[in-house]
Each structure stands twice: as C-alpha cells, then as structure tokens.
Amino acid sequence: MLTKDLAICIRAVDYSETSQIVTFFTRETGKIGAIAKGSKRPKSSFDGPIEILAHGEIVFTDSSREKLATLTEFQQQPVLLNLRKNLLALYCCYFAAELLNSLTHDYDPHAELFDGFLQFLQNSNEQQTATEDRRRVLSLLILFQLTLLNDVGLQPILNHCANCKTKYDMRNTKYEYYFSSSANGLICKDCEMSFTDKIRLNKEVAGCLANLQQIPASTEETLVKIEKVMVRHFTDLLGHPPKMAKYIVKSRLNVEDNRHDTKRG
Ligand SMILES: [Zn+2]
C-alpha cells in the first residue's frame, strides 16, 4: 500500500554507497523509518541525498510496521537557506529534531506537533540582525521544547508548586524558586528539601517559566539559563544528555545567579 504524507527528516544515516536509512516525522502517520534506495545517486526520485530538516511530500510503501518502510518519492521543499549561515539556529533545529525523535513513537501521529515543528524551523530560518538573532533563536527553541513536552503528555507544572500546589507570588522578593525534574515542574521553598535533583532558579528564570509569554522578550542571559534547565530536564527524561545539547549551552549544572560570572563578563 502506498501512503502519501507531509514529512520532515529528523535523522538520516548512510546505508550503502547509494542508499540511506531515513527517519521522517510525518504529519498524519507519525514517525517512520524508511529506506531510501538510490537516494545518493545523482539522479534519484528524491531530489538528491536526504538531509536532516529536509521537508516536503513523501510517498512510501508501508508493507509491515515491523520493518522499514520504503520511500518511493520525496518532493523536497526549498532548503531553509538561512539556517546554513546561522550555526546556532541550525544546531537548535538539529537539537529539536533529536528531541522529537527521542520522545515520539513510530506510527503515533501528532499533527499539531508536526505543524509546530515546521513553524519552528521556518521561524528559525528567518533572518534578523546578528545581535537579536541569538536571543530570538533561543526563545524559539525553549518554546518549541515546551510544546513538544505538552504534546507527548509530559507537560511540566509551571504555574504553581508542583508538589504542594501553592501559587507563586512573583512580587515577593524573598521567595526562592526551584525546578525539579522528578517533581516535573517548579517547586517552592517549603518543598525543595524533598527533591534532591532540584535546581535553584533566579527570579527572572522562574518568572519566565511561570509566565511563558515573557520568554520572547527576555535577555539572552536569562534564556541561556532557562535552556540549561531544559537540558537538565531532558537529560533526566531520556536517561542521557541529548547529543546536541553541548552545542547550545556549555555547562548544564550551574543555573543559579552567579555574581562572579557576571563580573567576569
Ligand atoms: Zn511547595
């Protein structure tokens, strides 16, 4: 049986001199693994070798779900060219593709997540001034990561303490904020003792997580700190650090306000 679907390539490995094994995230079918025979030949029905983030309409035969599907057509949309010129944006997109691959199951469709991922790629591909770009790309990545968690049923609890349900009072300057992966969300000062994996957050980071609308306008420093929390959380969820994480944030551990750091900078 032939199936037609919209697809984004989230992984591609060489299978032979001329063929590749490709993982697609498709809109209606979900994630599929497919063999693309002859994809590396100069004249193939796939518009050339298939790279990560390539997207467009595919046709595949899906004889048995136990085995790889066979890709028969791939009409690739134009390459997201600006990504090739902006390394951080490219790495953020690769990171998003890696997380999507890790957190979704074969043949489990998530149409809205597909649309969100495609939009994320297109937004990341938009070109802005160099100074604005790092901030914008990081905020897009964080928001996509949260969308992904929501969509696969792992939505973190961010609007009140994940343990005792106390609402946050962001105006209270003496308040302390933590994030814990084992609690799956923000936790308050009264509960932090019970969670050994907690990370102390500064007020800006906690404020953004409790109110995601603040993320696009945040400083780069705050966004990097939020991304470190996200990386730590994904490391816990996956049981290993995501491969692309080290290209986005350097250290995963220290997300507290560090005055020595700010002085040095
Ligand atoms: Zn609490």
Side-chain angles (χ1 to χ4, degrees):
M1 192 184 77
L2 284 176
T3 309
K4 198 186 259 193
D5 209 337
L6 291 172
I8 303 167
C9 172
I10 52 174
R11 187 164 184 267
V13 290
D14 286 349
Y15 177 68
S16 68
E17 286 279 291
T18 54
S19 302
Q20 291 173 289
I21 291 177
V22 182
T23 307
F24 283 113
F25 188 57
T26 73
R27 191 171 194 283
E28 309 297 334
T29 321
K31 187 173 73 177
I32 63 156
I35 183 151
K37 287 180 191 154
S39 60
K40 291 162 74 191
R41 287 207 180 96
K43 275 188 183 172
S44 78
S45 24
F46 314 126
D47 303 334
I50 301 167
E51 290 181 28
I52 301 182
L53 311 181
H55 64 288
E57 195 175 79
I58 61 168
V59 179
F60 60 99
T61 56
D62 151 31
S63 53
S64 149
R65 293 191 169 189
E66 319 282 282
K67 287 193 289 177
L68 286 173
T70 303
L71 188 69
T72 60
E73 274 177 54
F74 184 19
Q75 289 181 337
Q76 297 196 33
Q77 291 295 309
V79 175
L80 301 162
L81 267 184
N82 289 330
L83 285 184
R84 310 271 168 229
K85 299 182 235 159
N86 180 345
L87 210 55
L88 180 69
L90 185 66
Y91 286 165
C92 285
C93 292
Y94 285 169
F95 189 19
E98 178 190 352
L99 293 173
L100 198 54
N101 192 13
S102 304
L103 291 169
T104 56
H105 300 288
D106 287 354
Y107 296 98
D108 178 18
H110 290 270
E112 269 180 41
L113 183 58
F114 176 92
D115 295 341
F117 185 47
L118 189 56
Q119 190 66 58
F120 164 73
L121 296 181
Q122 283 162 348
N123 290 344
S124 303
N125 186 51
E126 271 171 28
Q127 211 172 13
Q128 305 270 327
T129 60
T131 43
E132 269 298 286
D133 229 32
R134 293 182 58 81
R135 239 176 41 71
R136 197 181 58 94
V137 164
L138 281 171
S139 70
L140 289 171
L141 175 66
I142 293 163
L143 292 170
F144 176 74
Q145 287 170 328
L146 289 164
T147 303
L148 170 64
L149 288 173
N150 289 354
D151 221 277
V152 299
L154 295 170
Q155 180 169 24
I157 298 153
L158 301 172
N159 51 357
H160 53 73
C161 171
N163 192 50
C164 72
K165 316 273 186 281
T166 303
K167 267 240 164 238
Y168 283 110
D169 181 5
M170 289 296 169
R171 286 160 304 178
N172 185 343
T173 49
K174 292 211 176 101
Y175 217 83
E176 287 174 16
Y177 309 91
Y178 300 84
F179 182 90
S180 158
S181 283
S182 59
N184 192 35
L186 294 181
I187 44 172
C188 73
K189 195 179 172 183
D190 296 335
C191 297
E192 57 96 359
M193 297 269 280
S194 322
F195 297 93
T196 52
D197 66 333
K198 76 212 160 200
I199 309 168
R200 174 108 187 244
L201 309 176
N202 73 18
K203 202 169 155 47
E204 288 75 32
V205 170
C208 280
L209 287 174
N211 180 7
L212 302 178
Q213 289 174 346
Q214 292 183 14
I215 287 180
S218 302
T219 63
E220 185 181 330
E221 193 191 345
T222 297
L223 293 170
V224 169
K225 284 179 179 159
I226 298 173
E227 186 49 32
K228 285 181 181 175
V229 175
M230 299 301 292
V231 166
R232 185 69 182 259
H233 187 46
F234 281 112
T235 301
D236 258 48
L237 286 173
L238 302 174
H240 60 83
K243 279 193 206 117
M244 286 309 297
K246 60 177 176 290
Y247 300 104
I248 319 272
V249 288
K250 297 217 166 59
S251 154
R252 290 193 304 278
L253 295 172
N254 190 3
V255 271
E256 286 182 43
D257 241 353
N258 190 328
R259 283 173 212 288
H260 301 291
D261 258 11
T262 36
K263 259 185 200 162
R264 199 179 52 208

